[in-house]
Amino acid sequence: MEHSTNASGSGQEETVVSPTGHSEEFVQQRVSNPTKEAWILDSLKKRRTEFLHKQQIRAFVGTWNVNGKAPPADLGQLTAWLGFVPDNEVELDKLPELVVLGFQELDVRAEAFVYNNSVKDMEWTEAVEQSMGMAKQKLVKVASKQLIGMFIMVYVRTDMVEVVTGVQMASVGCGIMGVVGNKGAVAVRLTFRDTPMCFVCAHLAHDGAQVERRNAQFHDLSRRLAFAGSAADADPLTPSADVVGSGATEADRMHSVFDHSYVVWFGDLNYRLAIDTGDMDEILARGEHRALLGLDQLQIVRMNKQAFAGFEEGHVDFAPTYKYIVGTSEYDARRRPAWCDRVLWWTRPGCEDGVQSEAYESVDSVCTSDHKPVRAQLGLDVWRVDVERRRAVFLEVLRELDRYENECIPTANVEATNVDFGDVYFGRAVRRQLRVGNSGQVALEYGFVATPNRAAVAPGWLRISPEHGMLLPGQSVDVELVISVDERTSAPLSTRQEDLDDILVLHLTRGRDYFIQVRGAYQVSVYGMSLDVLVHCKGAVRNMTRADFEQCLRSGQFSVPRSMWLLIDFLSRYGVDRGLTLFNYTGDSVLGRRIREWLDTDQALDPGAILQWPEGSDAQGSSRMSLTDQTLVASAISDIDVLAPSTAEALEQLSLGTWTPTPMRAESDSESEPDLEPDPHRHLSSGQAAEAIAGRAAHDAGVDTVASCLVELLRALPSPLVPTALYSACIEAGGHSRAAALEALEVLPPGNLNVLVYLLAFLREAVERGATAAARVARVFAPALLRPPVGHVRVDAEDGYAETFVLYLLQ
């Protein structure tokens, strides 16, 4: 126990617990809420040099795309890549404190996308450790993580193991459909002494024309890679909340990649040269590769802040690392050479100059892959915290806060009391800023508070950031207000039962309240509309009033929503019938918005615009009645027995030429109903379709976009097609048998059954005709059909059971 004079300067002593520095009573008196904690942490950050002590360590970072090859029989090639392995006796202080190795395309087998086994990573781990020779005795592996072809390993020098804590691993796939792990990243975070750092091994989209996709994948990975938080893991440059009080601020949140002092991002980033100058071979033959660096896409996007903004890289003084003829150091003339394999780093503000590049090079002598391995040696500044000195600085900050609080009552200047968001669309966030300034003479604590009519500070469709804070005199903050309508909040908005209109209450501690009206014009959409409403809609929903919806719900209904029919009919005509693949690509976001607009305004999908056909070309595409047309059922729910007596029978009979319900028109009072039955059209023979699919490039961006719209329509349902009440039973059935899967759906509501049968009819046809694979359908549609209830605790095998459940339904 230690003693310290209290912050009020009274001369009395109070007990303070070391090392965090404060008794519970003291903290409650001086730090009453999270808003004050945030202000105190910011003040401590500004004075961090008074309690932090710096040390420099070395980190070896290596990356290699091994092209699916086994480790070289000659381990000397691996030793040459590592570089730090001594020829004779190992001197501990000559070895780097950290060794981080990353691989790409470790496993390119087709089964690697389905089965998660560790054969390849064990094989390469053993080879790497053998190539280290005697140096391996001085290094300890603290982490490794594999995701299909990506693999990361982290070693720590034996004398530093005790100062490395908080080791965690994470992986995220962003390949096919944005989730499959053929592309993505594996990451390891750790704290060295009191300095957190993160290492990310990534493999981004290939092909020179995919630069925007690579940029998007970088931002996606930055957002999705996350680690469990704890007060002990907090950056010492922003001392943890445990120093200030409860510790809840850090312990209750996830850490992102950028919640670290340093981020080292490396791997096959796949950025190419922007253009072909025509004389690249001669330039490379003369060893003048630096003349081509101005065409490097990665340097261009960094300069334009499109991706990797704020990242730094060592001087690139080596030849392009891709693409070589395997077994040689000669470039493959069929591909434009490029610096695909890179090592970059980012430093948190306040840690500038904390990373120094000591060496950065490729290893030309290693020839077993079409990539050359790359290595970098970095000098990293790490910190040790002087806890006692930090406590003293903390007490001084508290005294400063007390002085401000005792001067006068807080007053604020709120820029606007009416915030208009304009048109708001489903799934598209709209942002506005509200400036709040401290116009008084004392520290101002502000916060948005709940109202008598609402337990939360804002409705579910509105986010406020920050919800609370503290401002010193003269300071101001831009509060971000974000309206985002999703499947959780869309149902009452979709039928005009509610509007985007609310009153927020901004409360000042020991001061007045400010009332701020927020409003927006929600553009009603079939996306986010419940299934029982969708099946009643027979025209454009965009401009329907609340009375229109009430009348619509009292009229007849279709067995499947018209919007879903339009999408599936298009995919059947212009996707399956034309021999194109489905559900492998996400399509074009701009075109996707246009398709949504057509659906919301009940316009036919324009094949010419979607497929970008030349004006005057044949827009019919095919002339047979597709399976989607045959299975469109427009009977009312009261006539559900027209379909099949049970779920099992409906699914068992679902095949071409067997179970074919007669299309019927929806019931109507007086208005004429739209004719949903299309004109017959011609289709490719099965042989032609198979030949087209075999080309692997047989896909169309427009068809891909329509397919994505179909998946998103299912995901946007406020209640999924398979109700959440059946989720556990369906997951359990996925681990047993097809019979169990059918039994789990026996209590499926009739309306949901109609739509599910219709959807499966199309998906089965697509699989049978080679437009997609059953496993792909299961992976894409399982999250759309099966959604866990709120509060559900997921288990590791759950996604696999969900996919197997969908596979059973496709059989």
Side-chain angles (χ1 to χ4, degrees), residues 64-78:
W64 189 12
N65 182 321
V66 299
N67 194 28
K69 301 294 190 297
D74 178 12
L75 294 180
Q77 295 194 52
L78 286 174

Side-chain angles (χ1 to χ4, degrees), residues 232-271:
D233 292 336
D235 190 340
L237 303 186
T238 307
S240 72
D242 185 53
V243 175
V244 179
S246 64
T249 301
E250 291 290 337
D252 295 342
R253 73 180 182 91
M254 298 293 288
H255 285 304
S256 77
V257 168
F258 296 104
D259 284 329
H260 299 85
S261 296
Y262 306 129
V263 178
V264 180
W265 196 300
F266 61 103
D268 181 2
L269 306 186
N270 255 324
Y271 284 94

